[in-house]
Amino acid sequence: MPPGKIGTIQKEDYSNITEYILNFSDIESDNNKDWVSFSDPSSIDKPDERKSLFENRVIKNFDDISDQDINYPKENDWTSWRRTPLGFGYSPLKQVNKENVQKLKLSWSLTMNEGSNQGTPLISQGVMFLTHPGNMIQALSAANGRLIWEYKYPYPKDSMLLGGPTKNIAMYKDKVFMATYDAALIALDIRTGKLLWKNIKADYKDGYTHSSGPIIANGVVISGINGCERYIEDGCFITGHDPDSGKELWRTSTVALSEDINGSSWGNTPDIFRAGSDTWIAGSYDPELNIFYIGTSQAKPWVAASRGMSPNEKALYTNSTLAMNPQTGKILWFFQHIQGETIDMEVGFERILADIDDKKLLLTIGKDGILWKLDREKGNFIDLKETINQNIYKKVDRNKGKVVYRDDILLSKIDTPFSACPGIYGGHNWQAVSYDPESYLMVIPLHQLCADMIGRYVERKEGGGGYGANSRNYKMDNTNGKVGKLVTIDIKNMEKIWQYEQDAMFLTGSLSTAGGLTFIGDLDRKFMAFDTKTGILLWDTTLGSALHGFPVTYAVNGKQYIAVQTGMGVFRAMTSVISPDIYQPEGGNTIYVFELQDNY
């Protein structure tokens, strides 16, 4: 009631209606609203009556999150996507270390919503803010997993794409911020979980959505967007918002339109057909330079011929690092890693802001497995390093920072297949690297996969567009079937220190700690700890499903915890074909939290 359950009456409403009717009858009420009627087996199995009656509580004695808390968090906390806005994925905690990591045990776990479970828990003052698939956030006791409050955003069902990943949320002052499936940005009261404001950035029916969340940069909530493959007048953009009201402060196009100084890089392509340049991953922020950095993805459709262009046309600002003023959105400098990209070989992932002596560096790695090293003050190229076998470039110039495609890729035409190693899944992908600033070592998850691709004809019409390609994926040759690979690079000299290969793909970001450990999870349900300096596997455990998302570590009351999530997402369609011998359970979305045994 009513038919179709449109505007469904809640259980409490039924009770109130019953009470109202009883007031006008001779029947006495016992004021008990918890009666359940049992008539036959079907009356027992009623999903609507199995819903939790848990009522949200208030987080007590919780201080507002300051700029200091975000930029330079207390060692116990994890207050931004990669702990700090510098993007390290590193914690100074070392209670768990190389000597005692084998004594880790499960502390607590919690079942999560089904969907693409690529999230990152945030922790402050003993409270964990956990993002579930389905645009749900929970506040939990970080010590035992007990629920404090939860908020479920009522998104339109047709706005969830790619299994609904939400890689990160943000928190600042008295609020938690989430970018939603239907292209909105929302703020919740950090203590109660109540919705405070909502800003609709774009129309999700035009294909716009979010797969990652915002970053806080000098008091501004900065948010990218996805779904830019369609031919839409609004194009692709990044926005800055006031944290108190959600008001949009600025909007910067990630595509060089015709009036832009670099507009000619798209040739004679009309503005409405300049698609792509999404921002799939949250950016990084340098509080000392007051510069926000983010990576953009490739032009779309994927193959240059499908978009009526040549790979020799740069199509700015695709596949670039953008350095931006967080107050105005002005692009201060850009560096394009691959011009006129034509294989879905984006370089749109995490940006690591590292310092070596007096040099301020930015490092990033794309699907092609090339690690780039830039001067983050001015955007000048410094060095690069190939971390995986590749055959897509006929030339990689380490002195000038230029890559040149094979001739058959440069000249590829519609409906003509070509091969690419690595392929559309990488190489590297969203599984973020970690960086240990004490040893200057960067641990990089990689996939040893190739792909064949065929570009298709895509009609130039408003509302059209898309990826415009077919592909098939397969294992790289000469790897003995080992799809998963870890490579550790010393970023001072860009030399490889160690590598580790295995059959199963690594499906989480890596997490490094001052205890000399790097944690990571894989397709085969394994959660592992490596010696960061040597690559020796020190500990592993088998969980309920393939691992996913971004592991974190934190401490409460002097005890260190390590948290990781499980639950496959969009990769499942590929991994089931690439690794059929590895059992991949349906479902299994869970967060697992580990601690040392009591005598350690």
Side-chain angles (χ1 to χ4, degrees), residues 198-212:
K198 172 181 176 180
N199 182 296
I200 299 174
K201 296 167 52 182
D203 188 346
Y204 82 90
K205 293 183 179 179
D206 287 334
Y208 290 108
T209 188
H210 292 112
S211 67
S212 61

Side-chain angles (χ1 to χ4, degrees), residues 235-251:
C236 212
F237 52 85
I238 301 168
T239 53
H241 299 261
D242 175 74
D244 295 324
S245 65
K247 177 183 177 182
E248 186 175 303
L249 303 175
W250 52 261
R251 177 173 293 217

Side-chain angles (χ1 to χ4, degrees), residues 146-214:
R146 290 177 181 168
L147 180 63
I148 303 171
W149 60 253
E150 72 176 19
Y151 172 81
K152 298 178 181 179
Y153 177 73
Y155 63 91
K157 296 303 180 185
D158 57 342
S159 67
M160 178 193 281
L161 302 176
L162 302 175
T166 299
K167 294 181 178 67
N168 70 290
I169 54 177
M171 53 185 181
Y172 183 53
K173 295 183 178 179
D174 60 346
K175 298 177 181 67
V176 176
F177 305 92
M178 179 169 65
T180 67
Y181 298 151
D182 59 346
L185 188 66
I186 65 170
L188 308 179
D189 185 304
I190 200 168
R191 295 175 179 84
T192 67
K194 293 181 179 179
L195 180 67
L196 297 177
W197 55 253
K198 172 181 176 180
N199 182 296
I200 299 174
K201 296 167 52 182
D203 188 346
Y204 82 90
K205 293 183 179 179
D206 287 334
Y208 290 108
T209 188
H210 292 112
S211 67
S212 61

Side-chain angles (χ1 to χ4, degrees), residues 191-476:
R191 295 175 179 84
T192 67
K194 293 181 179 179
L195 180 67
L196 297 177
W197 55 253
K198 172 181 176 180
N199 182 296
I200 299 174
K201 296 167 52 182
D203 188 346
Y204 82 90
K205 293 183 179 179
D206 287 334
Y208 290 108
T209 188
H210 292 112
S211 67
S212 61
I215 289 289
I216 307 299
N218 199 2
V220 179
V221 185
I222 301 181
S223 175
I225 203 160
N226 302 119
C228 304
E229 64 272 9
R230 292 194 189 180
Y231 295 145
I232 300 295
E233 186 175 351
D234 287 346
C236 212
F237 52 85
I238 301 168
T239 53
H241 299 261
D242 175 74
D244 295 324
S245 65
K247 177 183 177 182
E248 186 175 303
L249 303 175
W250 52 261
R251 177 173 293 217
T252 299
S253 174
T254 57
V255 170
L257 301 175
S258 53
E259 73 274 10
D260 189 281
I261 191 172
N262 294 299
S264 61
S265 65
W266 287 80
N268 60 4
T269 302
D271 285 354
I272 196 169
F273 302 127
R274 300 184 181 196
S277 205
D278 315 51
T279 49
W280 290 91
I281 301 293
S284 300
Y285 172 65
D286 184 335
E288 295 182 8
L289 296 178
N290 190 32
I291 299 177
F292 172 75
Y293 305 88
I294 197 165
T296 59
S297 66
Q298 69 288 89
K300 295 181 178 70
W302 285 341
V303 177
S306 299
R307 53 184 184 262
M309 296 178 66
S310 161
N312 292 318
E313 293 172 303
K314 293 182 178 181
L316 292 168
Y317 298 98
T318 64
N319 257 346
S320 298
T321 294
L322 304 182
M324 306 174 70
N325 182 313
Q327 269 67 48
T328 66
K330 179 182 178 180
I331 297 176
L332 304 175
W333 60 257
F334 71 91
F335 181 91
Q336 188 173 46
H337 301 273
I338 310 173
Q339 72 171 36
E341 204 285 309
T342 192
I343 321 177
D344 184 25
M345 200 56 53
E346 65 185 290
V347 192
F349 304 116
E350 65 278 9
R351 266 60 186 163
I352 311 300
L353 311 182
D355 293 347
I356 297 180
D357 300 325
D358 60 344
K359 295 181 180 178
K360 294 186 176 298
L361 308 175
L362 181 147
L363 296 105
T364 190
I365 182 170
K367 288 183 179 179
D368 56 10
I370 292 179
L371 177 64
W372 296 84
K373 185 177 182 179
L374 308 178
D375 168 5
R376 74 172 182 269
E377 293 188 90
K378 298 182 179 179
N380 297 326
F381 170 77
I382 297 175
D383 201 356
L384 61 77
K385 175 70 175 180
E386 295 184 64
T387 65
I388 197 169
N389 293 332
Q390 62 85 16
N391 67 8
I392 58 179
Y393 303 122
K394 67 178 181 181
K395 183 178 182 181
V396 177
D397 191 330
R398 189 170 179 178
N399 294 318
K400 296 181 179 180
K402 300 291 184 182
V403 296
V404 181
Y405 284 124
R406 293 189 330 247
D407 289 341
D408 63 313
I409 295 176
L410 281 172
L411 301 174
S412 61
K413 298 180 180 180
I414 291 171
D415 296 332
T416 303
F418 58 87
S419 65
C421 291
I424 66 171
Y425 288 95
H428 188 59
N429 208 288
W430 60 259
Q431 293 85 6
V433 309
S434 58
Y435 170 65
D436 181 345
E438 300 301 318
S439 62
Y440 303 105
L441 297 182
M442 180 175 289
V443 184
I444 305 170
L446 297 164
H447 312 314
Q448 299 192 119
L449 294 171
C450 300
D452 293 334
M453 180 172 284
I454 302 175
R456 300 302 190 189
Y457 170 74
V458 178
E459 182 182 0
R460 281 189 170 184
K461 64 177 182 179
E462 185 172 357
Y467 299 138
N470 297 355
S471 70
R472 68 181 186 94
N473 300 279
Y474 47 92
K475 297 177 182 179
M476 278 188 180

